[in-house]
Amino acid sequence: MPSTANNADVFTGLNACQVLDQLNAGQGFGPGRNISRRNECTASKPGLGSNGLALDPVQGLAEFRQSDPDATDTTVNGRRALEAFDAVGGCTVAFEVGEHARVLAQMAMAEPERDTEACPLARDLAARVEPLLPK
């Protein structure tokens, strides 16, 4: 696939682990770890769970909606977003950085009795990462 302005990586120069570590500083999370070839990162906090960021330059909100049709519409600092609660105690907030680019801010709780905290924590992470991204 030839490279054009339409499919340029809007996240060039942004490393998900560096961004996550910056946002988690002083909150008791361990250093972020990238567990795939993509620009995504996860960090754990003992007793709480793990949070994560994925900077996806290829897929937008339409693809997120396809994979999670029950996601609810929301916004993150004025950007279009979708929020999805996962039955295993996690929550993902996906927000738009372009028609074909999105950020996933995720929270997975370690204890089932704390599952209701997952979406508020994911929303908080999304709101804190949004100002660091291209408009």
Side-chain angles (χ1 to χ4, degrees):
M1 176 188 272
S3 180
T4 68
N6 290 344
N7 65 7
D9 186 343
V10 298
F11 301 114
T12 297
L14 282 177
N15 175 290
C17 283
Q18 289 174 348
V19 173
L20 187 62
D21 287 346
Q22 175 186 336
L23 296 173
N24 283 342
Q27 295 184 33
F29 284 89
R33 292 185 359 261
N34 187 320
I35 53 174
S36 76
R37 292 175 180 234
R38 299 186 323 188
N39 194 2
E40 58 187 307
C41 192
T42 302
S44 296
K45 180 177 180 176
L48 180 68
S50 61
N51 66 3
L53 284 178
L55 308 179
D56 189 334
V58 179
Q59 299 183 92
L61 293 183
E63 290 86 355
F64 188 82
R65 171 73 76 195
Q66 287 175 345
S67 66
D68 202 321
D70 295 329
T72 55
D73 291 301
T74 186
T75 60
V76 173
N77 299 343
R79 292 185 198 237
R80 287 184 40 226
L82 293 168
E83 181 177 299
F85 182 74
D86 182 342
V88 293
C91 187
T92 300
V93 174
F95 65 91
E96 196 170 61
V97 183
E99 184 182 351
H100 299 291
R102 69 183 182 200
V103 170
L104 303 179
Q106 302 164 308
M107 187 69 211
M109 305 310 291
E111 308 288 331
E113 59 273 9
R114 295 186 71 178
D115 287 357
T116 57
E117 297 175 53
C119 285
L121 288 168
R123 282 192 297 269
D124 175 68
L125 180 61
R128 291 185 296 122
V129 73
E130 186 279 332
L132 305 175
L133 302 170
K135 291 297 176 207

